[in-house]
């Protein structure tokens, strides 16, 4: 039966316990990665929330792969990375909101000239919306703090973000971001 099939350790646990070490890419290849994240596997989450690994996950959702990259790099890694970043996990939100450079990196895709790659901007938008929905108070506090302390030329400054969002208004994902921003303003003002 079903229960007898799942009695052993997961492939993720085996990989995490490997004496030879492992890479983020090996984890992204595993079919049960998302399930292990959602079940809050402590060893896995400790590995994922390391700054270098969070940065790599963000790279996968904002950097266009080249034609010479592997199929996994072009298709699987960006999708799985976005799903991991969108998991409703406090540890991921804590890292994103405590390290402004990570949120700056997520939004850096908006610095590109139009038109944006629809899939990548969709992944970025999905991550931002998930962060807002997962913890609207922390999201508001993060951006209120950044906006209060930043100069108008800072990458996360409100005028700069709004200019970039308006530049990419033709993207459905950017429209989603504007809806979140309007909710953010309404939520932060109440």
């Amino acid at each position: 039966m079903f229960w007898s099939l799942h009695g052993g350790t997961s492939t993720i646990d085996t990989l995490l316990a490997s004496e030879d070490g492992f890479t983020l890419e090996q984890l992204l290849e595993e079919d049960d990665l998302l399930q292990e994240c959602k079940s809050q596997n402590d060893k896995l989450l400790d590995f994922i929330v390391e700054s270098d690994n969070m940065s790599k996950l963000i790279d996968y959702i904002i950097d266009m792969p080249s034609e010479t990259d592997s199929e996994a790099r072009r298709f699987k890694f960006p999708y799985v990375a976005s799903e991991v970043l969108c998991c409703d996990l406090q540890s991921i939100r804590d890292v994103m909101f405590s390290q402004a450079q990570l949120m700056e990196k997520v939004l850096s895709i908006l610095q590109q000239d139009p038109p944006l790659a629809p899939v990548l901007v969709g992944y970025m938008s999905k991550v931002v919306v998930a962060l807002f929905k997962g913890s609207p108070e922390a999201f508001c506090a993060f951006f209120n703090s950044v906006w209060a302390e930043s100069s108008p030329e800072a990458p996360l400054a409100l005028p700069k973000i709004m200019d970039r969002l308006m530049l990419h208004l033709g993207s459905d994902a950017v429209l989603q971001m504007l809806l979140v921003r309007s909710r953010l303003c309404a939520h932060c003002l109440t």
Side-chain angles (χ1 to χ4, degrees), residues 6-23:
H6 293 68
T9 59
S10 74
T11 56
I12 298 288
D13 287 332
T14 304
L15 193 58
L16 291 171
S18 171
E19 293 179 13
D20 297 331
F22 58 94
T23 64

Side-chain angles (χ1 to χ4, degrees), residues 123-187:
Y123 290 150
M124 179 273 306
S125 176
K126 182 170 71 167
V127 169
V128 171
V129 170
L131 289 169
F132 174 71
K133 286 182 176 178
S135 187
E137 293 81 14
F139 192 93
C140 289
F142 171 79
F143 278 101
N144 283 339
S145 169
V146 168
W147 292 336
E149 297 170 8
S150 65
S151 72
E153 294 305 312
L156 292 178
L158 182 59
K160 201 163 194 170
I161 288 176
M162 288 308 297
D163 287 347
R164 299 312 295 184
L165 288 170
M166 292 307 197
L167 180 65
H168 298 295
L169 205 53
S171 166
D172 288 340
V174 171
L175 288 174
Q176 280 293 103
M177 293 264 306
L178 286 173
L179 287 173
V180 168
R181 191 208 172 273
S182 66
R183 287 187 210 137
L184 168 64
C185 288
H187 193 276

Side-chain angles (χ1 to χ4, degrees), residues 81-99:
S82 73
E83 291 295 315
V84 168
L85 292 169
C86 288
C87 282
D88 189 19
L89 297 169
Q90 189 62 44
S91 58
I92 289 177
R93 286 192 301 271
D94 288 347
V95 170
M96 291 296 290
F97 294 142
S98 68
Q99 297 179 25

Side-chain angles (χ1 to χ4, degrees), residues 44-63:
L44 174 62
L45 293 179
D46 289 345
F47 179 78
I48 286 175
V49 299
E50 290 175 8
S51 287
D52 289 345
N53 294 326
M54 289 291 289
S55 185
K56 277 186 186 178
L57 288 171
I58 294 167
D59 285 340
Y60 284 129
I61 67 167
I62 64 168
D63 292 339

